[in-house]
Amino acid sequence: ILIPLLGSVLYFFNFFSITRWEGFDRPIFSIAIAVPLILGFTLKNFKKETWSNYLFIGFSSIIFSGAVDNPPSFLTGVFIVVFFYFYFLIVSLLKNDLKTLRKYLLIGLKTVLILIICNLFWYIPMLGLGGPKTLFEEFSPIDWLGSMSQTTSFLNVIRLMGAWYWYENSGGAPSAPYAQIYLHNNFFVFLTYLLPFFCLLGMVFSISKKKARFLIPILFLGTVFSMGEHPPFGKIYRFLYDNLIFFKPFRSPWFKFSLFITLSYGFFYGFFAATVIGFIKRFSKILAIILIGVFFAFPIVLSHPLLKATFFDRWRIKKPTYVDDAIKFLNENLSAGERIYLYTYDQNSNYNWGYFSK
């Protein structure tokens, strides 16, 4: 029970979650909730197939659909689920275990059928609008991949500290004041390195767990893709971005692919903590109980800005009347399909009433 418990704490309390809560990223939240559920109930089906598992997969996919209006987030979740399934198919094939392979194939077909049925409520209307291709055809052509990759070094990515605005100033003040403690406070800087260290050890300790091995390539891919154009893998990412149409929406790589890392970290952290606690328990039950508290508190302490009410100050603003006036004007004067372009692409210089402005 310690592995899912402590792993879930880290999965929720981490720097990536902080940045998503800051902007209330509904698509990422939908994926972050649904993906572990789909993977978990699929593993249950691999062990013992039941219709209740399929039912929960279907319900989870409805949560998953909350990301359908955000192509990169949606595709991120799809990639994890598809990779997970094909990983087990390939493993069975390499072992020449045809019985298990047939079993997994049948489970996959049934799962796809359930997913289709449970998601007809949004897919049918989308067909009426032109189908999934419209998600890519109408995507903004602005290419900010390069600027988004300036802060995604390897060390920043594995510490989940690749958010560009953590390192920016706005009007002479940090764009993310709460993040300064992770950049300049020696104690918290040390803790940011301790997190990937724990997870790396957890990955090593969990090698024997066959059903968890798929998380290793997920972690690797998440790290490489989250770095975007940043060396040493930047040229590979740029090639994919320029030549694959479904890669076009991934202009903010760290904000999309870090979910791969947090998903892997959650399990590896939980496994590392459970292993250490189990070892210490042989000598002292009291010390083992203390360690449970320490490992439980570690992600929370590290992500403590989420617990502060002031963290959400940017949302508690008084909207100026010209915002509603502008919306009313646009609704009355713009025809269907028309757009207004702001040529000054600097959100901090366009208004000064709060949120991300000066």
Side-chain angles (χ1 to χ4, degrees), residues 50-253:
T50 66
W51 280 108
S52 61
N53 289 336
Y54 287 113
L55 187 62
F56 282 117
I57 290 173
F59 286 150
S60 301
S61 74
I62 295 176
I63 300 174
F64 194 109
S65 69
V68 72
D69 61 338
N70 188 300
S73 298
F74 185 78
L75 290 176
T76 296
V78 169
F79 180 89
I80 295 176
V81 173
V82 171
F83 182 90
F84 164 85
Y85 178 69
F86 277 93
Y87 171 84
F88 284 96
L89 287 183
I90 294 172
V91 169
S92 301
L93 187 62
L94 292 176
K95 290 181 177 180
N96 200 29
D97 188 350
L98 299 182
K99 181 179 179 181
T100 301
L101 181 63
R102 284 194 296 269
K103 175 184 176 182
Y104 289 170
L105 286 172
L106 287 174
I107 290 175
L109 290 174
K110 294 175 185 178
T111 300
V112 169
L113 179 61
I114 292 294
L115 295 178
I116 291 175
I117 294 173
C118 291
N119 289 273
L120 287 175
F121 73 95
W122 64 262
Y123 191 74
I124 291 178
M126 180 183 286
L127 290 177
L129 296 174
K133 65 178 182 178
T134 57
L135 294 176
F136 300 97
E137 291 176 348
E138 299 179 5
F139 210 81
S140 171
I142 299 174
D143 181 358
W144 55 59
L145 175 60
S147 60
M148 287 291 181
S149 301
Q150 292 179 4
T151 59
T152 53
S153 65
F154 174 74
L155 289 179
N156 282 351
V157 165
I158 64 171
R159 293 185 297 155
L160 297 174
M161 294 175 58
W164 62 270
Y165 61 88
W166 277 29
Y167 307 88
E168 294 285 329
N169 290 325
S170 175
S175 296
Y178 65 85
Q180 301 309 300
I181 192 173
Y182 306 117
L183 303 176
H184 305 297
N185 183 291
N186 290 334
F187 175 70
F188 276 93
V189 170
F190 170 73
L191 292 185
T192 65
Y193 284 98
L194 204 57
L195 172 62
F197 178 70
F198 285 163
C199 295
L200 178 62
L201 289 179
M203 181 181 71
V204 174
F205 293 163
S206 66
I207 289 293
S208 61
K209 300 295 181 180
K210 297 180 181 179
K211 291 186 177 180
R213 289 178 185 171
F214 88 97
L215 289 171
I216 297 176
I218 284 290
L219 176 59
F220 174 78
L221 291 174
T223 302
V224 171
F225 287 159
S226 292
M227 293 174 67
E229 264 198 319
H230 202 285
F233 305 107
K235 291 183 178 179
I236 297 175
Y237 195 97
R238 171 53 75 172
F239 175 83
L240 296 174
Y241 181 83
D242 289 338
N243 293 279
L244 299 181
I245 185 174
F246 68 85
F247 228 78
K248 286 294 182 184
F250 294 98
R251 301 168 298 171
S252 307

Side-chain angles (χ1 to χ4, degrees), residues 329-349:
F329 173 82
L330 295 176
N331 287 335
E332 293 176 350
N333 293 278
L334 281 185
S335 301
E338 289 185 323
R339 298 181 182 182
I340 287 183
Y341 287 91
L342 299 177
Y343 290 98
T344 302
Y345 189 67
D346 181 2
Q347 59 183 349
N348 294 322
S349 65

